[in-house]
Amino acid sequence: MRCWRRLAAAGALLAALCAALALAVAEHRRPDTTASSSSRRPLRFASGGGFKVALFADLHYGENAWTDWGPRQDAGSDRVMAAVLDAEKPDFVVYLGDLVTANNLGIPNASLYWDRAISPTRGRGIPWATVFGNHDDMPFEWPPEWFSPAGVPPLHCPPPSMSDSDCSFRGTPRLELMTSEVIRNGLSYSSNGPKDLWPAVSNNVLQVLSQKRDDPALLMYFLDSGGGSYPEVISSAQVQWFHSQSQFLNPNGRIPEIIFWHIPSTAYAKVAPKAKSEIRKPCVGSINREEVAPQEAEWGMMDALVKRASVKAIFVGHNHGLDWCCPHEKLWLCFARHTGYGGYGNWPRGARVIEISEQPFSIQSWIRMEDGTTHSDISLSS
């Protein structure tokens, strides 16, 4: 799905890009005051038995960065995340892919915009994990307008001290983006591996411990669904990794499991309400304005998940015009809510929130909007 929507007048190019880069550079250079990666605290259910997660999907920072329009969208995304975080006060945040629109970034260091995307969460001392989307390391797309008589706009890149090159348009590889995040942020629970799953990078499993014991009461799996620099797919190797991890951590299936990745599987297309029609039960949601855009191929991940009764729900982003949850077999398939002002679509922005209760186990979810309202409440444990 392409994110080019509009280009502003050439006269605003210099001021807009300089403003965007100045803010991104300031964030990038901000010293990290969190704990080191070796001292991350275990995730744990709160004393009241709950664990709340906010999902930020499709932020698309850096889109059309050389125009007035682009930086305004980034400022809007800042506002949405701040509103959700301050209203919900989650225990954890999941960045559900497409943090940046790399195919719009002329600078080689997309981590400047990546760092801005995670800064609202980091600034509030909330831990997080990220998964990759199809735009995060997408190659730069040259705008056709740059080949008109007006020519290429006066792009101004970071100084040499911040980058090993100028506007090389080389993009920032997945591994480089994730390694930068993990090394520089003690509150990041993301992963830049395992190495044998390359080119997939953001594959990880996190344990949430019981409020009273040091035993896991919830497992959260994060998977790279591809796109950008390689096909939109979860590989057979990732399926085997999931089998290995789940059998080691949860051989009897007694611990509930939830799953996060960016691009929906073809199963989403099978259960989806007819595009642009009303969402009816058992599905719950508020926008259904497009067809599901699934992964290019399936290599067994959904088969593995539906066979495990411990898997309760899968959460994805990617489709900005969908925010519903629908049942599939014995689990739930859910879209997040388009959080960022970058990217296509002009629907009001918000975020999906998930609240898990340990005893008795339950998952409740709703959408929190930028204006503070909530809707689409649903129980994902029924």
Side-chain angles (χ1 to χ4, degrees):
M1 290 180 292
R2 296 175 62 86
C3 286
W4 294 96
R5 286 295 180 266
R6 53 182 294 193
L7 292 170
L13 300 179
L14 177 59
L17 185 59
C18 286
L21 284 177
L23 182 54
V25 168
E27 275 297 312
H28 188 71
R29 288 179 168 174
R30 189 178 70 83
D32 181 23
T33 58
T34 58
S36 68
S37 59
S38 61
S39 61
R40 290 187 180 98
R41 292 180 298 176
L43 302 175
R44 187 181 294 275
F45 278 87
S47 57
F51 187 77
K52 185 187 288 188
V53 182
L55 309 184
F56 293 147
D58 298 281
L59 294 164
H60 288 283
Y61 276 90
E63 185 159 321
N64 289 13
W66 56 88
T67 70
D68 283 337
W69 180 86
R72 286 200 303 269
Q73 309 320 297
D74 292 347
S77 300
D78 293 341
R79 292 195 308 271
V80 178
M81 287 190 286
V84 172
L85 293 171
D86 291 342
E88 293 289 352
K89 296 178 172 55
D91 301 295
F92 196 77
V93 168
V94 176
Y95 285 91
L96 210 49
D98 282 1
L99 281 73
V100 299
T101 302
N103 47 305
N104 278 192
L105 295 178
I107 63 173
N109 195 356
S111 59
L112 296 175
Y113 287 96
W114 190 279
D115 197 65
R116 179 172 176 179
I118 61 179
S119 64
T121 300
R122 178 181 58 206
R124 289 164 173 79
I126 302 170
W128 74 87
T130 58
V131 296
F132 278 105
N134 54 302
H135 282 277
D136 289 317
D137 72 341
M138 185 176 284
F140 183 77
E141 295 178 350
W142 289 83
E145 292 82 359
W146 288 13
F147 299 89
S148 70
V152 178
L155 300 176
H156 292 260
C157 301
S161 61
M162 291 188 56
S163 174
D164 58 5
S165 62
D166 57 8
C167 287
S168 64
F169 304 101
R170 69 170 177 83
T172 307
R174 265 175 159 75
L175 187 58
E176 185 177 329
L177 279 168
M178 189 60 77
T179 300
S180 175
E181 177 194 318
V182 172
I183 289 176
R184 296 188 69 252
N185 295 284
L187 287 171
S188 170
Y189 285 66
S190 304
S191 170
N192 60 0
K195 293 182 179 179
D196 56 355
L197 299 183
W198 187 87
V201 172
S202 55
N203 305 283
N204 194 17
V205 55
L206 296 176
Q207 304 178 45
V208 183
L209 303 183
S210 169
Q211 60 171 319
K212 296 180 180 179
R213 306 180 309 277
D214 287 335
D215 298 323
L218 175 71
L219 297 174
M220 300 190 295
Y221 289 86
F222 305 85
L223 290 154
D224 189 337
S225 56
S229 61
Y230 74 97
E232 298 177 353
V233 64
I234 294 177
S235 70
S236 177
Q238 289 170 282
V239 177
Q240 293 305 312
W241 172 83
F242 173 79
H243 277 303
S244 175
Q245 293 293 314
S246 59
Q247 286 302 310
F248 176 74
L249 295 171
N250 197 17
N252 299 321
R254 65 174 185 81
I255 306 171
E257 299 166 320
I258 56 178
I259 318 293
F260 304 94
W261 66 64
H262 179 69
I263 303 174
S265 68
T266 56
Y268 277 77
K270 294 177 182 178
V271 303
K274 184 178 179 181
K276 300 184 180 180
S277 68
E278 180 183 355
I279 300 172
R280 297 181 178 178
K281 291 186 176 182
C283 299
V284 175
S286 69
I287 53 173
N288 181 40
R289 304 306 301 167
E290 59 181 326
E291 295 183 353
V292 173
Q295 298 166 29
E296 297 175 31
E298 297 269 349
W299 296 105
M301 180 54 72
M302 285 304 304
D303 289 340
L305 297 179
V306 297
K307 291 176 181 177
R308 289 185 64 79
S310 50
V311 176
K312 305 303 180 182
I314 303 169
F315 300 92
V316 303
H318 193 56
N319 278 98
H320 302 182
L322 303 174
D323 73 351
W324 46 257
C325 290
C326 287
H328 174 67
E329 302 288 342
K330 295 182 180 180
L331 54 80
W332 285 87
L333 305 181
C334 291
F335 281 96
R337 177 79 182 208
H338 184 197
T339 306
Y341 271 79
Y344 71 91
N346 56 6
W347 305 284
R349 272 39 174 189
R352 179 170 291 282
V353 179
I354 312 162
E355 187 162 40
I356 305 101
S357 297
E358 181 182 359
Q359 290 292 340
F361 178 81
S362 67
I363 304 177
Q364 300 295 128
S365 184
W366 59 91
I367 305 292
R368 168 72 67 172
M369 302 302 294
E370 178 184 7
D371 66 5
T373 60
T374 62
H375 58 81
S376 303
D377 296 58
I378 184 173
S379 172
L380 302 177
S381 48
S382 57

